Amino acid sequence: MHDPLIDKTIQYLNCLRDDNDISIKHIVLGSYFTVVELSDNNVGAVMSYYNANHLINGGLMHIINDVIANDPQLLTSKDGFSHSIFNDWKNDHQFSLACACILCALTSALSQPYLSTNKTNEFIIHKEFPYHSKIFDSKSALVIGFGGYLPFLIKETSINNIYVCDLSYKTRYEEMNSMLRDWLIDQPEKKITFFDSFEDHADKEYDLLSITGSSLCNGTLSQILNAHKNSFNIVQGQSAGIFPKFLFEAGVDMVSTTIKPRAIVKDAQKDLSGKFLTQYFEGGLPFIYLLPN
């Protein structure tokens, strides 16, 4: 279910790191975000794409905690989720979604030391939004995942034709259109087109793509990038915080994300709805911008 770029990144980071005994200390399956803390205290977090209540009420969190207590290295690869201890869950679609999110959060945690210090010099880290003419002067843009850079593209660029693909558009129609009206108050010339299926529009060309990082969790990022190799591609958001080597090789031009503090683990554990995480993930963490070297 998760994107193949995640497997490549985990394998690469396992080769890079000095500590071969790294293990998982905590996993939090929350309705808002999935959080992983490693034995070296690095933390990763990605948006949750599963029904957390279904998994928790079914006892999955107890099983995961038992695994971490007895074999904390087992879940540091996708093979760990094939262990017999998960036999009762293997045909559960929500379990598959949770495994994908855990692996993405694990990749995020493994990546954090490199995003803060750039030990390998394989990419450039900017703390300020980098100017690029293809961002500001494009003619058309596709935003995958409502929000993200959509208000920025409306208010701060000359792009008049903006397309938005969001799988939840039909169920969040009123909410999205209300926010959109506010963003468009001073931009009447902007044309915004919504759709909820990427496949129906995959063959259309855009100058710029702004892609939610959570596409790594639902396995769609590689498909999107393969369809738009000639666009200027940005992957953005809290879930995009992974070592970017393979993102750049796949056609990403910029990654916009954050470094995750340890404090989010305890706040995620306090309330699985994620209400204590909004202070971090809704404007509380400074963004960094990763570019190819």
Side-chain angles (χ1 to χ4, degrees):
M1 179 65 69
H2 61 282
D3 198 279
L5 292 169
I6 289 295
D7 292 333
K8 289 183 178 180
T9 305
I10 289 177
Q11 291 170 8
Y12 187 72
L13 290 172
N14 284 339
C15 294
L16 278 183
R17 72 187 188 209
D18 299 325
D19 181 5
N20 292 322
D21 295 325
I22 202 161
S23 58
I24 292 177
K25 187 189 294 186
H26 293 109
I27 293 175
V28 184
L29 298 178
S31 299
Y32 183 32
F33 268 76
T34 301
V35 178
V36 169
E37 182 181 18
L38 300 178
S39 55
D40 63 0
N41 297 324
N42 281 297
V43 175
V46 300
M47 186 167 284
S48 297
Y49 265 90
Y50 49 82
N51 184 327
N53 289 331
H54 167 76
L55 300 177
I56 293 165
N57 293 338
L60 180 62
M61 200 62 243
H62 291 296
I63 296 174
I64 287 176
N65 286 334
D66 287 343
V67 170
I68 293 172
N70 295 300
D71 188 358
Q73 289 186 306
L74 180 66
L75 301 183
T76 56
S77 76
K78 64 179 180 180
D79 297 333
F81 295 97
S82 301
H83 192 280
S84 59
I85 197 170
F86 295 113
N87 279 348
D88 291 342
W89 288 92
K90 287 179 180 175
N91 295 321
D92 190 304
H93 181 58
Q94 296 301 318
F95 173 68
S96 297
L97 294 173
C99 292
C101 291
I102 291 170
L103 286 170
C104 289
L106 168 66
T107 310
S108 173
L110 291 170
S111 300
Q112 295 304 296
Y114 302 96
L115 302 187
S116 57
T117 62
N118 195 8
K119 299 177 181 180
T120 67
N121 293 317
E122 293 187 56
F123 53 93
I124 302 168
I125 302 174
H126 289 271
K127 293 187 177 180
E128 301 293 334
F129 188 88
Y131 175 85
H132 198 293
S133 60
K134 289 188 177 179
I135 297 175
F136 291 90
D137 301 330
S138 292
K139 302 299 182 185
S140 63
L142 170 62
V143 177
I144 297 181
F146 184 79
Y149 278 137
L150 178 57
F152 171 81
L153 294 175
I154 291 173
K155 297 177 181 180
E156 305 295 337
T157 75
S158 60
I159 304 173
N160 284 335
N161 293 306
I162 301 175
Y163 300 81
V164 182
C165 177
D166 193 290
L167 301 178
S168 62
Y169 178 61
K170 289 180 179 177
T171 57
R172 296 177 59 200
Y173 174 87
E174 293 294 338
E175 173 195 354
M176 291 183 182
N177 277 277
S178 175
M179 296 172 69
L180 189 60
R181 282 192 292 270
D182 291 339
W183 296 335
L184 287 171
I185 286 176
D186 298 320
Q187 307 287 338
E189 75 283 1
K190 302 277 183 172
K191 180 183 178 183
I192 314 296
T193 304
F194 279 96
F195 51 90
D196 60 2
S197 172
F198 173 76
E199 288 78 7
D200 294 342
H201 299 263
D203 58 349
K204 183 176 176 59
E205 293 188 0
Y206 307 90
D207 298 326
L208 172 71
L209 261 69
S210 174
I211 309 165
T212 175
S214 57
S215 57
L216 284 163
C217 306
N218 63 23
T220 59
L221 181 58
S222 290
Q223 174 194 2
I224 294 167
L225 294 173
N226 285 336
H228 295 285
K229 293 184 179 296
N230 296 323
S231 303
F232 187 88
N233 297 315
I234 301 171
V235 175
Q236 60 79 31
Q238 303 294 345
S239 303
I242 69 169
F243 193 91
K245 172 182 172 65
F246 297 103
L247 295 178
F248 293 147
E249 290 182 4
V252 174
D253 296 287
M254 185 177 89
V255 177
S256 170
T257 190
T258 65
I259 296 171
K260 310 303 184 289
R262 285 187 67 194
I264 69 172
V265 179
K266 288 186 177 180
D267 282 332
Q269 292 169 328
K270 284 180 189 176
D271 189 300
L272 297 178
S273 72
K275 69 178 183 180
F276 295 113
L277 296 180
T278 57
Q279 62 181 310
Y280 306 103
F281 297 145
E282 295 183 16
L285 298 177
F287 270 76
I288 57 172
Y289 307 92
L290 314 178
L291 299 172
N293 199 344

PDB file of all heavy atoms in Angstrom, residues 13 21 29 47 75 78 87-88 91 101 114 139 141 158 166 195 198 203 217 248 266 273 280 286-287 293:
ATOM      1  N   LEU A  13      18.901   4.282   4.052  1.00  0.00           N
ATOM      2  CA  LEU A  13      19.231   4.815   5.372  1.00  0.00           C
ATOM      3  C   LEU A  13      19.840   3.743   6.268  1.00  0.00           C
ATOM      4  O   LEU A  13      20.707   4.034   7.095  1.00  0.00           O
ATOM      5  CB  LEU A  13      17.977   5.408   6.024  1.00  0.00           C
ATOM      6  CG  LEU A  13      17.455   6.691   5.381  1.00  0.00           C
ATOM      7  CD1 LEU A  13      16.115   7.084   5.984  1.00  0.00           C
ATOM      8  CD2 LEU A  13      18.455   7.829   5.533  1.00  0.00           C
ATOM      9  N   ASP A  21      21.902  -1.279  15.568  1.00  0.00           N
ATOM     10  CA  ASP A  21      21.001  -1.850  16.571  1.00  0.00           C
ATOM     11  C   ASP A  21      19.806  -0.945  16.853  1.00  0.00           C
ATOM     12  O   ASP A  21      19.133  -1.106  17.865  1.00  0.00           O
ATOM     13  CB  ASP A  21      21.763  -2.098  17.878  1.00  0.00           C
ATOM     14  CG  ASP A  21      22.850  -3.145  17.711  1.00  0.00           C
ATOM     15  OD1 ASP A  21      22.625  -4.089  16.929  1.00  0.00           O
ATOM     16  OD2 ASP A  21      23.907  -3.010  18.337  1.00  0.00           O
ATOM     17  N   LEU A  29      -0.760   4.883  17.108  1.00  0.00           N
ATOM     18  CA  LEU A  29      -1.748   4.862  16.031  1.00  0.00           C
ATOM     19  C   LEU A  29      -2.850   5.846  16.390  1.00  0.00           C
ATOM     20  O   LEU A  29      -3.721   5.552  17.212  1.00  0.00           O
ATOM     21  CB  LEU A  29      -2.337   3.457  15.864  1.00  0.00           C
ATOM     22  CG  LEU A  29      -1.370   2.337  15.481  1.00  0.00           C
ATOM     23  CD1 LEU A  29      -2.112   1.010  15.399  1.00  0.00           C
ATOM     24  CD2 LEU A  29      -0.691   2.640  14.157  1.00  0.00           C
ATOM     25  N   MET A  47       0.532  11.593   8.342  1.00  0.00           N
ATOM     26  CA  MET A  47      -0.920  11.603   8.475  1.00  0.00           C
ATOM     27  C   MET A  47      -1.467  10.178   8.437  1.00  0.00           C
ATOM     28  O   MET A  47      -0.993   9.334   7.681  1.00  0.00           O
ATOM     29  CB  MET A  47      -1.537  12.437   7.354  1.00  0.00           C
ATOM     30  CG  MET A  47      -3.029  12.638   7.480  1.00  0.00           C
ATOM     31  SD  MET A  47      -3.644  13.926   6.366  1.00  0.00           S
ATOM     32  CE  MET A  47      -3.076  15.389   7.245  1.00  0.00           C
ATOM     33  N   LEU A  75       9.792  -4.518  13.647  1.00  0.00           N
ATOM     34  CA  LEU A  75       8.967  -3.683  12.776  1.00  0.00           C
ATOM     35  C   LEU A  75       9.760  -2.589  12.071  1.00  0.00           C
ATOM     36  O   LEU A  75       9.180  -1.642  11.544  1.00  0.00           O
ATOM     37  CB  LEU A  75       7.821  -3.065  13.579  1.00  0.00           C
ATOM     38  CG  LEU A  75       6.890  -4.072  14.259  1.00  0.00           C
ATOM     39  CD1 LEU A  75       5.751  -3.354  14.959  1.00  0.00           C
ATOM     40  CD2 LEU A  75       6.343  -5.082  13.260  1.00  0.00           C
ATOM     41  N   LYS A  78       9.351  -3.785   6.397  1.00  0.00           N
ATOM     42  CA  LYS A  78       7.997  -4.221   6.050  1.00  0.00           C
ATOM     43  C   LYS A  78       7.793  -5.705   6.322  1.00  0.00           C
ATOM     44  O   LYS A  78       6.662  -6.158   6.540  1.00  0.00           O
ATOM     45  CB  LYS A  78       7.705  -3.914   4.582  1.00  0.00           C
ATOM     46  CG  LYS A  78       8.575  -4.663   3.582  1.00  0.00           C
ATOM     47  CD  LYS A  78       8.190  -4.309   2.158  1.00  0.00           C
ATOM     48  CE  LYS A  78       9.059  -5.065   1.154  1.00  0.00           C
ATOM     49  NZ  LYS A  78       8.694  -4.731  -0.243  1.00  0.00           N
ATOM     50  N   ASN A  87      -1.299 -12.655  12.278  1.00  0.00           N
ATOM     51  CA  ASN A  87      -2.096 -13.506  11.383  1.00  0.00           C
ATOM     52  C   ASN A  87      -3.573 -13.125  11.354  1.00  0.00           C
ATOM     53  O   ASN A  87      -4.210 -13.155  10.301  1.00  0.00           O
ATOM     54  CB  ASN A  87      -1.958 -14.976  11.789  1.00  0.00           C
ATOM     55  CG  ASN A  87      -0.676 -15.593  11.243  1.00  0.00           C
ATOM     56  OD1 ASN A  87      -0.009 -15.003  10.396  1.00  0.00           O
ATOM     57  ND2 ASN A  87      -0.325 -16.773  11.737  1.00  0.00           N
ATOM     58  N   ASP A  88      -4.123 -12.774  12.501  1.00  0.00           N
ATOM     59  CA  ASP A  88      -5.552 -12.458  12.559  1.00  0.00           C
ATOM     60  C   ASP A  88      -5.888 -11.145  11.863  1.00  0.00           C
ATOM     61  O   ASP A  88      -7.066 -10.845  11.637  1.00  0.00           O
ATOM     62  CB  ASP A  88      -6.020 -12.386  14.020  1.00  0.00           C
ATOM     63  CG  ASP A  88      -6.011 -13.744  14.702  1.00  0.00           C
ATOM     64  OD1 ASP A  88      -5.984 -14.762  13.981  1.00  0.00           O
ATOM     65  OD2 ASP A  88      -6.020 -13.783  15.950  1.00  0.00           O
ATOM     66  N   ASN A  91      -5.858 -10.002   6.661  1.00  0.00           N
ATOM     67  CA  ASN A  91      -6.877  -9.737   5.641  1.00  0.00           C
ATOM     68  C   ASN A  91      -7.696  -8.486   5.944  1.00  0.00           C
ATOM     69  O   ASN A  91      -8.704  -8.232   5.293  1.00  0.00           O
ATOM     70  CB  ASN A  91      -7.812 -10.948   5.506  1.00  0.00           C
ATOM     71  CG  ASN A  91      -7.082 -12.168   4.978  1.00  0.00           C
ATOM     72  OD1 ASN A  91      -6.225 -12.052   4.101  1.00  0.00           O
ATOM     73  ND2 ASN A  91      -7.403 -13.336   5.515  1.00  0.00           N
ATOM     74  N   CYS A 101       1.333   3.416   6.965  1.00  0.00           N
ATOM     75  CA  CYS A 101       1.601   4.651   7.711  1.00  0.00           C
ATOM     76  C   CYS A 101       2.743   4.469   8.704  1.00  0.00           C
ATOM     77  O   CYS A 101       3.572   5.370   8.885  1.00  0.00           O
ATOM     78  CB  CYS A 101       0.335   5.113   8.426  1.00  0.00           C
ATOM     79  SG  CYS A 101      -0.955   5.715   7.309  1.00  0.00           S
ATOM     80  N   TYR A 114      19.387  13.533   9.258  1.00  0.00           N
ATOM     81  CA  TYR A 114      19.938  14.051   8.006  1.00  0.00           C
ATOM     82  C   TYR A 114      19.234  15.338   7.576  1.00  0.00           C
ATOM     83  O   TYR A 114      19.827  16.177   6.897  1.00  0.00           O
ATOM     84  CB  TYR A 114      19.823  12.989   6.911  1.00  0.00           C
ATOM     85  CG  TYR A 114      20.522  11.703   7.286  1.00  0.00           C
ATOM     86  CD1 TYR A 114      19.818  10.648   7.853  1.00  0.00           C
ATOM     87  CD2 TYR A 114      21.895  11.561   7.110  1.00  0.00           C
ATOM     88  CE1 TYR A 114      20.457   9.476   8.224  1.00  0.00           C
ATOM     89  CE2 TYR A 114      22.553  10.389   7.473  1.00  0.00           C
ATOM     90  CZ  TYR A 114      21.825   9.354   8.033  1.00  0.00           C
ATOM     91  OH  TYR A 114      22.471   8.202   8.408  1.00  0.00           O
ATOM     92  N   LYS A 139       1.907  28.901 -15.726  1.00  0.00           N
ATOM     93  CA  LYS A 139       0.581  29.217 -16.260  1.00  0.00           C
ATOM     94  C   LYS A 139      -0.506  28.345 -15.638  1.00  0.00           C
ATOM     95  O   LYS A 139      -1.661  28.751 -15.533  1.00  0.00           O
ATOM     96  CB  LYS A 139       0.574  29.033 -17.785  1.00  0.00           C
ATOM     97  CG  LYS A 139       1.595  29.886 -18.528  1.00  0.00           C
ATOM     98  CD  LYS A 139       1.342  31.364 -18.318  1.00  0.00           C
ATOM     99  CE  LYS A 139       2.354  32.195 -19.106  1.00  0.00           C
ATOM    100  NZ  LYS A 139       2.205  33.647 -18.826  1.00  0.00           N
ATOM    101  N   ALA A 141      -1.319  24.984 -12.612  1.00  0.00           N
ATOM    102  CA  ALA A 141      -0.816  24.197 -11.484  1.00  0.00           C
ATOM    103  C   ALA A 141      -1.860  23.168 -11.075  1.00  0.00           C
ATOM    104  O   ALA A 141      -3.071  23.402 -11.180  1.00  0.00           O
ATOM    105  CB  ALA A 141      -0.487  25.098 -10.301  1.00  0.00           C
ATOM    106  N   SER A 158       1.312  34.272 -10.055  1.00  0.00           N
ATOM    107  CA  SER A 158       0.531  34.737 -11.208  1.00  0.00           C
ATOM    108  C   SER A 158      -0.213  33.601 -11.897  1.00  0.00           C
ATOM    109  O   SER A 158      -0.754  33.785 -12.988  1.00  0.00           O
ATOM    110  CB  SER A 158       1.468  35.423 -12.215  1.00  0.00           C
ATOM    111  OG  SER A 158       2.462  34.511 -12.665  1.00  0.00           O
ATOM    112  N   ASP A 166      -8.595  16.146  -4.799  1.00  0.00           N
ATOM    113  CA  ASP A 166      -8.693  15.671  -3.419  1.00  0.00           C
ATOM    114  C   ASP A 166      -9.724  14.550  -3.360  1.00  0.00           C
ATOM    115  O   ASP A 166     -10.865  14.727  -3.789  1.00  0.00           O
ATOM    116  CB  ASP A 166      -9.090  16.810  -2.474  1.00  0.00           C
ATOM    117  CG  ASP A 166      -8.903  16.427  -1.017  1.00  0.00           C
ATOM    118  OD1 ASP A 166      -9.681  15.578  -0.526  1.00  0.00           O
ATOM    119  OD2 ASP A 166      -7.984  16.958  -0.370  1.00  0.00           O
ATOM    120  N   PHE A 195     -11.474  18.183  -8.748  1.00  0.00           N
ATOM    121  CA  PHE A 195     -11.871  16.827  -9.118  1.00  0.00           C
ATOM    122  C   PHE A 195     -11.368  15.867  -8.043  1.00  0.00           C
ATOM    123  O   PHE A 195     -10.490  16.208  -7.251  1.00  0.00           O
ATOM    124  CB  PHE A 195     -11.375  16.430 -10.515  1.00  0.00           C
ATOM    125  CG  PHE A 195      -9.910  16.662 -10.774  1.00  0.00           C
ATOM    126  CD1 PHE A 195      -8.967  15.690 -10.499  1.00  0.00           C
ATOM    127  CD2 PHE A 195      -9.473  17.865 -11.331  1.00  0.00           C
ATOM    128  CE1 PHE A 195      -7.624  15.895 -10.763  1.00  0.00           C
ATOM    129  CE2 PHE A 195      -8.129  18.081 -11.598  1.00  0.00           C
ATOM    130  CZ  PHE A 195      -7.201  17.092 -11.309  1.00  0.00           C
ATOM    131  N   PHE A 198      -7.541  11.265  -9.618  1.00  0.00           N
ATOM    132  CA  PHE A 198      -6.342  11.631 -10.362  1.00  0.00           C
ATOM    133  C   PHE A 198      -6.293  10.930 -11.716  1.00  0.00           C
ATOM    134  O   PHE A 198      -5.882  11.513 -12.722  1.00  0.00           O
ATOM    135  CB  PHE A 198      -5.094  11.268  -9.550  1.00  0.00           C
ATOM    136  CG  PHE A 198      -3.807  11.470 -10.314  1.00  0.00           C
ATOM    137  CD1 PHE A 198      -3.296  12.743 -10.509  1.00  0.00           C
ATOM    138  CD2 PHE A 198      -3.124  10.387 -10.857  1.00  0.00           C
ATOM    139  CE1 PHE A 198      -2.124  12.939 -11.227  1.00  0.00           C
ATOM    140  CE2 PHE A 198      -1.950  10.571 -11.566  1.00  0.00           C
ATOM    141  CZ  PHE A 198      -1.450  11.850 -11.752  1.00  0.00           C
ATOM    142  N   ASP A 203      -3.479  12.493 -17.798  1.00  0.00           N
ATOM    143  CA  ASP A 203      -2.815  12.796 -19.064  1.00  0.00           C
ATOM    144  C   ASP A 203      -2.753  14.290 -19.363  1.00  0.00           C
ATOM    145  O   ASP A 203      -2.165  14.705 -20.361  1.00  0.00           O
ATOM    146  CB  ASP A 203      -3.506  12.067 -20.216  1.00  0.00           C
ATOM    147  CG  ASP A 203      -4.983  12.424 -20.331  1.00  0.00           C
ATOM    148  OD1 ASP A 203      -5.518  13.061 -19.403  1.00  0.00           O
ATOM    149  OD2 ASP A 203      -5.597  12.056 -21.348  1.00  0.00           O
ATOM    150  N   CYS A 217       2.071   7.724   1.898  1.00  0.00           N
ATOM    151  CA  CYS A 217       1.394   6.754   2.761  1.00  0.00           C
ATOM    152  C   CYS A 217       0.362   5.935   1.994  1.00  0.00           C
ATOM    153  O   CYS A 217       0.178   4.747   2.273  1.00  0.00           O
ATOM    154  CB  CYS A 217       0.707   7.463   3.922  1.00  0.00           C
ATOM    155  SG  CYS A 217       1.775   8.536   4.887  1.00  0.00           S
ATOM    156  N   PHE A 248      14.003  12.974  -5.339  1.00  0.00           N
ATOM    157  CA  PHE A 248      14.616  13.755  -6.409  1.00  0.00           C
ATOM    158  C   PHE A 248      14.861  12.896  -7.646  1.00  0.00           C
ATOM    159  O   PHE A 248      14.639  13.340  -8.778  1.00  0.00           O
ATOM    160  CB  PHE A 248      15.928  14.373  -5.922  1.00  0.00           C
ATOM    161  CG  PHE A 248      15.756  15.415  -4.845  1.00  0.00           C
ATOM    162  CD1 PHE A 248      16.716  15.578  -3.855  1.00  0.00           C
ATOM    163  CD2 PHE A 248      14.637  16.228  -4.808  1.00  0.00           C
ATOM    164  CE1 PHE A 248      16.571  16.535  -2.865  1.00  0.00           C
ATOM    165  CE2 PHE A 248      14.468  17.188  -3.818  1.00  0.00           C
ATOM    166  CZ  PHE A 248      15.443  17.338  -2.845  1.00  0.00           C
ATOM    167  N   LYS A 266       4.659  12.151  23.395  1.00  0.00           N
ATOM    168  CA  LYS A 266       3.809  12.186  24.589  1.00  0.00           C
ATOM    169  C   LYS A 266       2.467  12.843  24.297  1.00  0.00           C
ATOM    170  O   LYS A 266       1.424  12.412  24.805  1.00  0.00           O
ATOM    171  CB  LYS A 266       4.526  12.909  25.724  1.00  0.00           C
ATOM    172  CG  LYS A 266       5.679  12.107  26.320  1.00  0.00           C
ATOM    173  CD  LYS A 266       6.276  12.799  27.535  1.00  0.00           C
ATOM    174  CE  LYS A 266       7.383  11.941  28.143  1.00  0.00           C
ATOM    175  NZ  LYS A 266       7.995  12.600  29.330  1.00  0.00           N
ATOM    176  N   SER A 273      -7.065  11.194  19.380  1.00  0.00           N
ATOM    177  CA  SER A 273      -7.745  12.007  18.366  1.00  0.00           C
ATOM    178  C   SER A 273      -6.783  13.007  17.739  1.00  0.00           C
ATOM    179  O   SER A 273      -7.049  13.549  16.668  1.00  0.00           O
ATOM    180  CB  SER A 273      -8.928  12.755  18.979  1.00  0.00           C
ATOM    181  OG  SER A 273      -8.477  13.815  19.824  1.00  0.00           O
ATOM    182  N   TYR A 280       1.533  21.604  16.852  1.00  0.00           N
ATOM    183  CA  TYR A 280       2.741  21.383  16.058  1.00  0.00           C
ATOM    184  C   TYR A 280       2.439  21.422  14.560  1.00  0.00           C
ATOM    185  O   TYR A 280       3.117  22.106  13.792  1.00  0.00           O
ATOM    186  CB  TYR A 280       3.359  20.020  16.390  1.00  0.00           C
ATOM    187  CG  TYR A 280       3.642  19.797  17.852  1.00  0.00           C
ATOM    188  CD1 TYR A 280       2.804  18.994  18.627  1.00  0.00           C
ATOM    189  CD2 TYR A 280       4.747  20.382  18.467  1.00  0.00           C
ATOM    190  CE1 TYR A 280       3.059  18.774  19.968  1.00  0.00           C
ATOM    191  CE2 TYR A 280       5.014  20.171  19.811  1.00  0.00           C
ATOM    192  CZ  TYR A 280       4.163  19.366  20.561  1.00  0.00           C
ATOM    193  OH  TYR A 280       4.418  19.155  21.884  1.00  0.00           O
ATOM    194  N   PRO A 286       8.588  25.155  12.276  1.00  0.00           N
ATOM    195  CA  PRO A 286       9.172  25.869  11.125  1.00  0.00           C
ATOM    196  C   PRO A 286       9.431  24.906   9.969  1.00  0.00           C
ATOM    197  O   PRO A 286       9.874  23.777  10.180  1.00  0.00           O
ATOM    198  CB  PRO A 286      10.483  26.429  11.686  1.00  0.00           C
ATOM    199  CG  PRO A 286      10.824  25.530  12.836  1.00  0.00           C
ATOM    200  CD  PRO A 286       9.520  25.084  13.421  1.00  0.00           C
ATOM    201  N   PHE A 287       9.157  25.371   8.771  1.00  0.00           N
ATOM    202  CA  PHE A 287       9.387  24.531   7.598  1.00  0.00           C
ATOM    203  C   PHE A 287      10.830  24.644   7.125  1.00  0.00           C
ATOM    204  O   PHE A 287      11.485  25.674   7.300  1.00  0.00           O
ATOM    205  CB  PHE A 287       8.432  24.918   6.467  1.00  0.00           C
ATOM    206  CG  PHE A 287       7.144  24.144   6.503  1.00  0.00           C
ATOM    207  CD1 PHE A 287       6.159  24.450   7.431  1.00  0.00           C
ATOM    208  CD2 PHE A 287       6.929  23.089   5.637  1.00  0.00           C
ATOM    209  CE1 PHE A 287       4.977  23.728   7.482  1.00  0.00           C
ATOM    210  CE2 PHE A 287       5.756  22.356   5.676  1.00  0.00           C
ATOM    211  CZ  PHE A 287       4.774  22.678   6.601  1.00  0.00           C
ATOM    212  N   ASN A 293      21.118  18.773  -4.819  1.00  0.00           N
ATOM    213  CA  ASN A 293      22.435  19.425  -4.781  1.00  0.00           C
ATOM    214  C   ASN A 293      23.008  19.506  -6.196  1.00  0.00           C
ATOM    215  O   ASN A 293      22.990  18.521  -6.916  1.00  0.00           O
ATOM    216  CB  ASN A 293      23.386  18.632  -3.885  1.00  0.00           C
ATOM    217  CG  ASN A 293      24.565  19.465  -3.447  1.00  0.00           C
ATOM    218  OD1 ASN A 293      24.837  20.516  -4.031  1.00  0.00           O
ATOM    219  ND2 ASN A 293      25.262  19.022  -2.414  1.00  0.00           N
TER     220      ASN A 293
END
